[in-house]
Every structure is written in structure tokens, then in C-alpha cells.
Amino acid sequence: EDATENRYHELVSENCRQLLGPHYALLAPEYPHLHPLVPKRTQLKRVLVFFGGVDQNNLTSQALKALMDPALSDLAVDVVIGRHSPHWKAVKKLVDQLPNATLHGSLPSLAGLMVRADVAIGAGGATTWERACLGLPSLVTAIAMNQLKSTQALHNHGHLQSLGTEAWVSVEEITSALLARLHDPDTKVAGSGLTDGWGVSRQAMAMLGPQEGGLRLRPAMATDEALLLRWANDPQVRSNSFTSEQITPEDHHRWFQKGLNNSQRLHLIATTADGCPVGQIRFDQQSLSPEGTSDEAVVALSLDRCARGHGLAGELVRKGLKVLYQHWGPDVNVVAEVLTTNTASNACFARAGFKQEANVDPSLTCPAQAMNRWHWQSSQSC
């Protein structure tokens, strides 16, 4: 992630907004809609083989020969290769020898086969992000020089299993990897957190601004965990937080899971009209009276990098307040605690109608940083 963020650091202006990495990958529209629906894979029953439409070096045949091992004979196999491939006839001959294999020509989308599969065998190109979006465990061979670093990095972080390069991968190696998964299936969600498939919509928002329909709010769900961690660790978000250290996945998981069942937290995801998540707003009730009643809620929000600069923060606050009063009633006062150096957030709450209280003594919150405290009274109209 750090390597991706800094890849063009010395090559572009510091004012250039960089939308880099799989979070902004350009996937077809079916992928983001399928992303939250794919069930967890708990066993190996079906394999997808796809090395591109041409597969110049006939790695498809290597995979099919590996699948001829008697211990793998019960597996269903989907094979995809273009009819224009020079190896079509050789591949078809091998498919005919496998009792549960189906040969597909060029398809408009692999999404349907990916959802059905329990593991994929393929190359390390753009299909990597499609497999990751749908949580499909993958055995991957780098078939081009520009795939080597990314494939190895994803392997090192447990997002896929690298089989090396096409020059070195063998039938025996593929067989061994499949047998290992057959006896001990990897039940982790492969590629978890890499992408939710909404890259096209995010790129469009960054370039064109928000489209008709404005923001919509929905409750945060368990499937939002990786996305929220990404937003929380965005460099700009961390620099405007009271603690600037990166949040570890383990710490975030504990915090997030606890919040899902917390009746004193209202956590909302902001989406575009087509469903693309672009931000979040959270209200945490806190007790101020001796009786322990919650009559104040602290608000926090953030926007995806693609959504900044379009005036959406104010809309997010206003719509969030409406949901809050529908959810908890009119007796909850809302406060925002913002670093004095966070110009954008201070301006956002001012425009949204919050009233600034006297500067808070920083020793009461963060000794090294002063903050502003903004207050919204329940009697105000939102």
C-alpha cells in the first residue's frame, strides 16, 4: 500500500490528487454489486482456469494436466479461453478427458464463473482485481514483467498464492497447490479489503463531481470493515486526527466489531445514487449526567479521496443529523471536536450551522494539540 501511494510522488505536482491502487480499479458494474453477496467459501469443489483469451504460452493446458491427478477427479472445472487462441484445439482435447470440465469461449464477463468457483488458476493481470473483489482464492502465475512485483507483493500479504513465472511453473507445482487446498481449504476471504469494485464510480466522481441524486445514507455493515479501515488510514485523515499513527487491522477489527452491537453508536455510510460508498459519518453517545443518561453525541466524519473538494461534507452532516433525530429523538445534542489546524472540517461545521464554543484546553484532550468544539442544539432545524 505504501509503495503504491508513493509510486509517483516525485513525478507529479503536490497538488495532483492521485487515485491509485485496487480501491480505484476500473471493474465492470456487476462486480461491486456482487461483492457483498458472495458467500464464504469453505471447501474446494469447483475450479476456474483462465489465463487470458489468447494464452500465448498455453498455461491453460498445464493447469488441465494438473487437474488430471486422480485425487482431483471429483472437482468441477470451468475453462475459459478464446476460440482465436492458437491452443484452442489442444485445450479442448484435454477438457474432453476431464469428466467434470466445461470449456467456455470468450465471455463478456467472468463474474458468474468467479462467484461459483472455489479457487481460480490464472495470470497476474487485471483479472487479479476481479478475483479479489469477489473474494476468490487464486493460484497465480506472472505472465509478463509488469506482473511480477504486484503478484509477489500480493502473495507476501496473503491475498493470493504465487506460482512464480510462466517460465518456471510446472504441472507438478499446480497439482501440489491444488492438493494442499483440497485437504486444507483456505477459508479466509482472498483479497479481502483490496477492492469493493466501485473504482469506476469513484474515478468519475473525482473528475466530474457528484451526479444527480446527491448522497444517500445507509447503516454500516460488517462488509464495510476493510473500507472503513482504508478511510481511517488515509494520510489526510490521519494528519487531521488527534492520533496520527496508522491503525492496525487488528485494533480496527476489535473497535469495529464492538461498535456494530453498540446501541450508543450510529454509524452511517454515505453512497452515491448508484450505491458507491464515498464517505462515512458516526455519532457516539456519551453520558454527562450522574444518572448515566446519554444526552450528547460526538460526531466524526470522513470522505473518500475521490469525493473531496465537491462540498459534500456539509451535505453529509445535514443528512446525518436528520437520521440521528429519527433514530434517537430530538433530545440529543451533537458536538464536534476538531483540531484548530483542520481548516476544512472547522469550515464544514460552521457552514452546517454548528456554533463554536470557547477553545478547549488541549490538556483535557490531547496535550500537544488545541481543538475547537462545535455544538449543535437539538432545537435547531436540519
Side-chain angles (χ1 to χ4, degrees):
E1 187 73 22
D2 290 340
T4 299
E5 288 290 337
N6 297 318
R7 185 174 184 180
Y8 301 103
H9 182 68
E10 302 295 333
L11 302 176
V12 298
S13 163
E14 62 180 21
N15 296 321
C16 176
R17 188 191 317 180
Q18 300 180 50
L19 306 181
L20 305 174
H23 181 64
Y24 299 105
L26 305 180
L27 304 186
E30 59 268 24
Y31 286 93
H33 292 292
L34 288 171
H35 170 74
L37 304 177
V38 180
K40 186 176 181 179
R41 298 171 174 90
T42 58
Q43 53 190 329
L44 177 55
K45 288 188 173 182
R46 194 175 200 94
V47 179
L48 170 62
V49 180
F50 176 68
F51 284 94
V54 176
D55 185 17
Q56 191 64 46
N57 292 300
N58 200 17
L59 292 172
T60 304
S61 290
Q62 292 276 80
L64 291 174
K65 291 174 183 176
L67 285 159
M68 288 181 178
D69 187 285
L72 303 172
S73 61
D74 289 336
L75 295 179
V77 183
D78 288 301
V79 183
V80 182
I81 190 169
R83 290 181 177 271
H84 54 285
S85 168
H87 308 295
W88 169 267
K89 291 183 178 179
V91 167
K92 186 178 186 306
K93 184 176 180 180
L94 289 171
V95 168
D96 290 341
Q97 297 176 47
L98 288 167
N100 301 310
T102 303
L103 179 60
H104 306 268
S106 298
L107 298 173
S109 173
L110 294 174
L113 295 181
M114 287 184 179
V115 169
R116 297 171 65 193
D118 299 304
V119 69
I121 308 173
T127 312
T128 297
W129 314 124
E130 296 175 349
R131 295 189 298 252
C133 180
L134 300 182
L136 179 58
S138 303
L139 309 177
V140 177
T141 301
I143 64 173
M145 288 297 294
N146 63 359
Q147 297 179 7
L148 288 173
K149 286 186 177 180
S150 60
T151 298
Q152 188 59 47
L154 293 169
H155 171 87
N156 292 342
H157 287 82
H159 295 304
L160 54 77
Q161 181 177 347
S162 173
L163 298 178
T165 66
E166 59 185 349
W168 299 103
V169 66
S170 66
V171 171
E172 293 74 21
E173 188 173 6
I174 300 173
T175 301
S176 177
L178 286 170
L179 288 173
R181 287 183 173 270
L182 183 66
H183 298 303
D184 185 19
D186 186 354
T187 58
K188 298 190 301 294
V189 179
S192 176
L194 286 174
T195 179
D196 57 7
W198 285 107
V200 171
S201 292
R202 293 192 178 104
Q203 297 272 10
M205 170 169 280
M207 292 185 288
L208 305 175
Q211 303 301 297
E212 292 184 8
L215 295 180
R216 302 181 181 184
L217 300 183
R218 62 164 175 80
M221 303 179 293
T223 52
D224 294 315
E225 181 175 342
L227 178 63
L228 288 165
L229 177 59
R230 161 177 280 277
W231 285 338
N233 277 336
D234 181 277
Q236 185 173 333
V237 173
R238 297 272 27 101
S239 67
N240 287 322
S241 301
F242 291 104
T243 56
S244 60
E245 292 82 8
Q246 290 278 295
I247 301 169
T248 67
E250 295 77 17
D251 287 344
H252 182 265
H253 177 74
R254 287 190 291 270
W255 171 87
F256 181 71
Q257 291 299 318
K258 184 178 179 181
L260 284 176
N261 300 313
N262 186 351
S263 62
Q264 292 187 309
R265 172 171 293 170
L266 177 61
H267 203 169
L268 305 168
I269 303 296
T271 73
T272 58
D274 63 353
C276 172
V278 294
Q280 61 91 25
I281 186 167
R282 189 182 75 250
F283 300 94
D284 286 299
Q285 287 185 326
Q286 56 185 11
S287 301
L288 299 178
S289 65
E291 295 78 16
T293 58
S294 299
D295 52 8
E296 184 175 278
V298 178
V299 58
L301 70 146
S302 60
L303 288 171
D304 190 279
R305 193 175 303 179
C306 72
R308 297 170 192 163
H310 299 301
L312 292 174
E315 179 184 354
L316 178 55
V317 171
R318 289 189 296 273
K319 290 187 173 180
L321 288 171
K322 287 184 178 180
V323 177
L324 177 143
Y325 292 133
Q326 292 169 359
H327 187 74
W328 282 332
D331 296 328
V332 178
N333 293 322
V334 181
V335 298
E337 298 173 344
V338 184
L339 291 177
T340 56
T341 54
N342 188 350
T343 306
S345 289
N346 282 299
C348 165
F349 287 111
R351 287 194 301 267
F354 280 66
K355 305 300 181 182
Q356 184 178 353
E357 300 179 6
N359 281 9
V360 177
D361 182 353
S363 64
L364 299 177
T365 53
C366 183
Q369 303 179 78
M371 74 173 187
N372 293 326
R373 182 177 167 94
W374 297 87
H375 185 256
W376 176 279
Q377 293 182 340
S378 58
S379 59
Q380 293 176 244
S381 172
C382 57

